[in-house]
Amino acid sequence: MSLIVVGSMAFDAIETPFGKSDKIVGGAATYIAWSASNFTQPINQISVVGGDFPQEELDALKARGVNLEGVQIKKDEKSFFWSGKYHMDMNTRDTIETQLNVLGTFQPVVPESFQNADFLMLGNLLPAVQMSVIEQMKVRPKLIVLDTMNFWMETAMPDLEKVLKHVDVLMVNDSEARQLSAQFSLVKAAKEIMKMGPKYLIIKKGEHGALLFHGDQVFFAPALPLEEVFDPTGAGDTFAGGFIGHIARTKDISFENMKTAIIVGSAMASFCVEKFGTLRLTEISKQDIDDRIQEFVQLVNFDIALV
Ligand code: AMP
């Protein structure tokens, strides 16, 4: 029992310049599970859904090696719902609506069989819920990774500050890093954020790649230049799934291995954006992933003769 994933499982309604979806399955933990399960199984999932959440989606995740023992189903309530709209610059989006529904009162319970997990991926949801999962772990996992977003900085900052003290790696996007630290320079922002608790910080910059900070060290991973980006929703979570999936598979939490993990995360995210929702993640094979990682190697591989 090595990896626990916590996060929202949801319905999303998405509008991009290329199309519009009605309510489709989304949620941070859904994307993370689809992505991470390519590298390690089982995924021990902790989340909450309403009676409206499709049984077929739960069955598909189960078939993929996702253990749903920690997913509560509130039969008479509605699942978390989020809707967002992207503009031509797909790096920016507006949240149109966030309906917490079952997530608002969620009290997570860590099943006994999930205890002793080595890796804990706290995907996006209430910081108090993330904290509660950490508190329920009888043995601290070797690596705790946390993803969050501006919504929680605006509505639950004291809880977020509290949980940040207990995590090893924080993942945020560039605007969230600026908001959290009140610094415009991402280097200064990283320094401020690492004072809040996490020893490692990953700043995701959409089509401009991702930065990994640790002490005075910085590593940069590009995003694959794609001809078409159809829907960026879930790219950050898919990145997180690739990152933690690689770490859990290799059981190596060194900075060097985290560099590889963010390349794996970037490769996974590049699939996610190719179709609406989780669809593309359900189609890809191990060969597709290997080929895509090779494309990353080619993208950044060069010889240089110093004069
Ligand atoms: P990403 O594009 O990786 O930032 O994640 C998008 C996913 O996050 C969507 O599938 C949403 O359902 C989910 N999401 C959006 N807002 C929240 C929130 N406040 N808490 C938890 N999950 C959220």
Side-chain angles (χ1 to χ4, degrees), residues 10 66 114 125 134 148 166 229 279:
V66 182
F114 289 14
L125 85 181
I134 296 178
T148 188
H166 298 268
V229 173
L279 181 58

Side-chain angles (χ1 to χ4, degrees), residues 95-159:
T95 289
I96 309 290
E97 201 179 344
T98 301
Q99 289 176 17
L100 290 178
N101 300 329
V102 282
L103 207 58
T105 52
F106 180 35
Q107 310 262 353
V109 178
V110 177
E112 194 52 39
S113 63
F114 289 14
Q115 291 292 346
N116 297 316
D118 289 327
F119 304 100
L120 175 57
M121 177 70 232
L122 297 167
N124 192 14
L125 85 181
L126 291 84
V129 170
Q130 296 172 318
M131 189 68 223
S132 163
V133 172
I134 296 178
E135 282 168 348
Q136 289 178 56
M137 298 302 296
K138 293 177 191 155
V139 180
R140 188 190 192 277
K142 288 197 185 84
L143 195 75
I144 304 181
V145 182
L146 183 140
D147 190 1
T148 188
M149 73 184 291
N150 53 352
F151 183 82
W152 303 115
M153 294 175 198
E154 284 144 28
T155 60
M157 191 59 177
D159 287 341

Side-chain angles (χ1 to χ4, degrees), residues 204-218:
K204 300 168 286 181
K205 299 176 66 188
E207 65 172 322
H208 304 299
L211 293 160
L212 167 66
F213 292 90
H214 174 54
D216 292 330
Q217 306 180 81
V218 194

Side-chain angles (χ1 to χ4, degrees), residues 17-275:
F18 308 107
K20 204 173 165 174
S21 76
D22 286 332
K23 271 170 101 179
I24 55 171
V25 167
T30 313
Y31 283 100
I32 296 170
W34 276 111
S35 179
S37 57
N38 287 286
F39 307 97
T40 185
Q41 291 185 6
I43 306 293
N44 298 302
Q45 191 93 334
I46 297 181
S47 190
V48 62
V49 295
D52 52 356
F53 199 79
Q55 186 59 43
E56 309 85 75
E57 179 67 20
L58 297 173
D59 293 344
L61 285 166
K62 218 183 268 178
R64 219 6 216 260
V66 182
N67 180 350
L68 300 172
E69 207 188 323
V71 177
Q72 297 172 21
I73 302 175
K74 300 271 166 79
K75 283 213 161 37
D76 301 325
E77 295 176 49
K78 281 163 74 181
S79 301
F80 175 80
F81 172 76
W82 174 81
S83 71
K85 181 176 175 171
Y86 295 85
H87 305 280
M88 272 320 274
D89 163 14
M90 294 273 238
N91 281 330
T92 55
R93 75 173 170 210
D94 297 327
T95 289
I96 309 290
E97 201 179 344
T98 301
Q99 289 176 17
L100 290 178
N101 300 329
V102 282
L103 207 58
T105 52
F106 180 35
Q107 310 262 353
V109 178
V110 177
E112 194 52 39
S113 63
F114 289 14
Q115 291 292 346
N116 297 316
D118 289 327
F119 304 100
L120 175 57
M121 177 70 232
L122 297 167
N124 192 14
L125 85 181
L126 291 84
V129 170
Q130 296 172 318
M131 189 68 223
S132 163
V133 172
I134 296 178
E135 282 168 348
Q136 289 178 56
M137 298 302 296
K138 293 177 191 155
V139 180
R140 188 190 192 277
K142 288 197 185 84
L143 195 75
I144 304 181
V145 182
L146 183 140
D147 190 1
T148 188
M149 73 184 291
N150 53 352
F151 183 82
W152 303 115
M153 294 175 198
E154 284 144 28
T155 60
M157 191 59 177
D159 287 341
L160 181 58
E161 282 172 338
K162 186 173 165 207
V163 70
L164 281 181
K165 294 196 174 73
H166 298 268
V167 309
D168 301 302
V169 184
L170 172 67
M171 289 182 181
V172 280
N173 69 29
D174 43 0
S175 70
E176 289 156 355
R178 291 186 169 114
Q179 185 169 347
L180 187 59
S181 63
Q183 292 287 345
F184 186 77
S185 149
L186 291 181
V187 177
K188 285 187 182 163
K191 283 193 178 141
E192 285 305 313
I193 293 170
M194 285 189 288
K195 284 185 206 157
M196 298 178 183
K199 293 181 286 299
Y200 300 85
L201 172 68
I202 296 172
I203 301 184
K204 300 168 286 181
K205 299 176 66 188
E207 65 172 322
H208 304 299
L211 293 160
L212 167 66
F213 292 90
H214 174 54
D216 292 330
Q217 306 180 81
V218 194
F219 177 72
F220 171 69
L224 197 68
L226 294 169
E227 252 177 62
E228 280 180 89
V229 173
F230 209 66
D231 170 21
T233 307
D237 309 311
T238 305
F239 174 96
F243 177 86
I244 198 69
H246 174 78
I247 300 269
R249 185 179 72 77
T250 54
K251 300 186 173 55
D252 174 353
I253 58 170
S254 67
F255 182 74
E256 283 309 306
N257 196 44
M258 283 189 197
K259 290 182 183 176
T260 313
I262 74 168
I263 298 286
V264 173
S266 303
M268 295 309 296
S270 75
F271 287 115
C272 174
V273 303
E274 289 177 342
K275 291 193 177 168

